[in-house]
Amino acid sequence: MNILLLGSGGREHALAWKLAQSPRCKRLFAAPGNPGIAEHAQLVALDARDHGAVIAFCAAQQIGLVVIGPEAPLVDGLSDSLRGAGVPVFGPSKAAARLEGSKAFTKELCARHNIPTGTFRRVTNKDEALAALSEFSIPVVIKADGLAAGKGVTVAMNADEARAAVADIFSGKFGEAGAEAVIEEFLSGEEASLFAITDGHTIVPFGSAQDHKRVGDGDTGPNTGGMGAYSPARVLTPLLEGEAIERIIAPTVRAMAEEGMPYSGVLYAGLMLTPTGVQLIEYNARFGDPECQVLMLRLEGDLVELLLATAENRLASLPAPRLSDDTALTVVMAAQGYPGTPKGCGTIRGVAAAEAAGAKVFHAGTAIKDGELVASGGRVLNVTARGSSVSEAQARAYAAVDKLDFVDGFCRRDVGWREVERERG
């Protein structure tokens, strides 16, 4: 089977690495890809916003499955266009992708179907938002409603920060994503992520993870797209995972089907483990980044068969996905300046040495310049390793990090710290 993978980041490199291992994969194409993905796939110049060009490529290359990595093409409705042309695609419809594309949509769905989440207010202008702040205690969470590339979310620790966040959103800083906003109750507890694959009817759990959003050690500094992650997140015990599936994920899948927009793809639930039970923070409509990297390292089955069965609405015919009991942990190497303006074009050497040390290095923001591997984004590499415990996986990942020669790069040195502390007792 010929497969087309859309995307260019670390998530897509992890997917390409796993897709290429399948005996069902005859040829793998990736658009636009990156130098790491090029080790597994033929890179092609396709713009995911040009639905006609993607459909024409699929016809010319007899593509049997399209895997959409990032969220923007999903929210843009590319999966609908492909399905309309008879091309099997892994990823939700435009209507269903609103679970990620609109925070207000998700909150209102939860309210209609009694899915546990924090209280909220949807606001459409600055004055309305400022007035609504009085309904919430501090800390309070202010979010741009739409896709803002991992930005547009503020946990305001005082009233001045809250007002400044509202002003930011309605200043146009986030474009269309900031046309509306959601003000939310701040939920206390520990965060974890739970993944499920669904074809709109059948739901299969696909592992848990915990990521690190703050740029600095000890969870300090500004939020980022993610500086590292590990899986499984053992704080999400089997009992709590069952509660999350029963009270959050399954009701969401049922509600989407009942409301005429069945959800097909991966459903990524950001959860807060509160003293009163598991609550939904938000949904993503695709594999997380860098969570996908640790999930793919643990997956022991055939990814192509799983994604194709989902696309063809026959997930119930497959056995449950098998994930290793090992822990997988990834460390994000970022360019100096991230998450602000990252320093570009820094030379990267030592990837082979890092992999020889027992890790898999996924490319997130790299390019080839004058024959050298260089940084081309904020998050540059994902150094990923497995171990029988978080401590062991962490040690292996950092041993590999230390083999890299990336002068313009930096990373957190404490990925997995919560679980390491629990392991030490």
Side-chain angles (χ1 to χ4, degrees):
M1 173 188 298
N2 294 341
I3 300 169
L4 173 62
L5 170 66
L6 297 174
S8 63
R11 166 183 48 225
E12 287 76 36
H13 187 182
L15 290 170
W17 173 75
K18 199 67 184 177
L19 290 167
Q21 295 172 25
S22 170
R24 300 204 59 175
C25 182
K26 182 181 177 183
R27 292 185 72 189
L28 178 62
F29 298 92
N34 65 38
I37 294 172
E39 297 173 9
H40 314 287
Q42 179 181 334
L43 304 190
V44 292
L46 274 178
D47 184 346
R49 294 170 296 184
D50 188 341
H51 296 194
V54 176
I55 290 167
F57 178 86
C58 290
Q61 298 297 333
Q62 298 180 305
I63 298 296
L65 175 67
V66 176
V67 179
I68 301 176
E71 60 274 21
L74 296 169
V75 172
D76 186 44
L78 179 58
S79 61
D80 301 86
S81 298
L82 288 164
R83 288 189 183 99
V87 181
V89 56
F90 181 82
S93 66
K94 180 176 183 174
R98 281 187 291 171
L99 281 176
E100 177 167 5
S102 170
K103 295 171 181 66
F105 170 85
T106 298
K107 284 288 193 177
E108 289 170 352
L109 183 91
C110 289
R112 289 195 299 274
H113 295 273
N114 299 312
I115 295 167
T117 189
T119 58
F120 74 100
R121 273 284 307 274
R122 179 180 193 165
V123 291
T124 58
N125 59 64
K126 180 180 174 181
D127 289 342
E128 184 184 6
L130 291 173
L133 286 174
S134 63
E135 301 170 20
F136 295 83
S137 30
I138 297 293
V140 62
V141 183
I142 299 103
K143 297 179 178 179
D145 179 62
L147 297 181
K151 300 173 184 174
V153 177
T154 299
V155 179
M157 304 307 292
N158 56 57
D160 287 342
E161 285 184 8
R163 288 190 288 268
V166 165
D168 257 2
I169 289 173
F170 289 105
S171 70
K173 179 177 180 179
F174 303 108
E176 291 181 8
E180 296 188 3
V182 173
I183 301 173
E184 299 181 11
E185 170 191 8
F186 175 79
L187 298 175
S188 297
E190 189 166 345
E191 289 187 44
S193 301
L194 180 61
F195 297 80
I197 307 288
T198 178
D199 57 10
H201 308 284
T202 302
I203 300 168
V204 294
F206 196 74
S208 62
Q210 190 170 69
D211 75 339
H212 297 64
K213 289 294 187 192
R214 299 283 185 176
V215 73
D217 286 6
D219 295 324
T220 57
N223 273 325
T224 71
M227 292 299 293
Y230 67 93
S231 173
R234 290 187 172 87
V235 68
L236 190 66
T237 63
L239 184 64
L240 290 175
E241 181 175 316
E243 178 186 338
I245 291 171
E246 180 182 348
R247 300 188 60 214
I248 296 174
I249 290 178
T252 298
V253 172
R254 284 196 301 271
M256 295 295 283
E258 288 169 5
E259 298 194 11
M261 42 193 163
Y263 190 99
S264 176
V266 60
L267 195 54
Y268 162 6
L271 305 172
M272 185 67 78
L273 312 183
T274 77
T276 58
V278 182
Q279 295 204 51
L280 178 71
I281 302 171
E282 62 186 16
Y283 277 124
N284 289 322
R286 35 70 192 185
F287 286 108
D289 189 348
E291 292 89 349
C292 184
Q293 290 83 313
V294 289
L295 291 171
M296 291 304 114
L297 213 66
R298 292 182 60 218
L299 180 62
E300 296 183 333
D302 186 334
L303 180 63
V304 171
E305 181 56 43
L306 178 65
L307 303 191
L308 185 63
T310 305
E312 294 180 342
N313 196 26
R314 53 178 180 84
L315 193 54
S317 68
L318 293 189
R322 300 189 312 275
L323 279 78
S324 169
D325 290 334
D326 280 356
T327 291
L329 183 144
T330 190
V331 177
V332 172
M333 292 293 299
Q336 293 290 348
Y338 179 77
T341 303
K343 185 174 182 179
C345 298
T347 303
I348 304 161
R349 299 186 180 93
V351 171
E355 294 199 326
K360 176 62 186 172
V361 179
F362 295 114
H363 293 227
T366 64
I368 300 294
K369 182 180 180 182
D370 299 327
E372 294 261 34
L373 185 68
V374 299
S376 65
R379 294 186 295 169
V380 180
L381 298 171
N382 310 137
V383 184
T384 315
R386 269 173 55 167
S388 60
S389 64
V390 178
S391 300
E392 185 173 85
Q394 183 195 63
R396 289 178 177 171
Y398 281 113
V401 165
D402 292 338
K403 298 291 185 183
L404 292 169
D405 178 6
F406 180 24
V407 174
D408 293 330
F410 75 99
C411 67
R412 281 185 58 160
R413 303 294 307 195
D414 65 345
V415 173
W417 68 267
R418 292 181 184 84
E419 195 57 40
V420 168
E421 286 189 356
R422 283 190 278 262
E423 287 176 355
R424 290 173 178 165

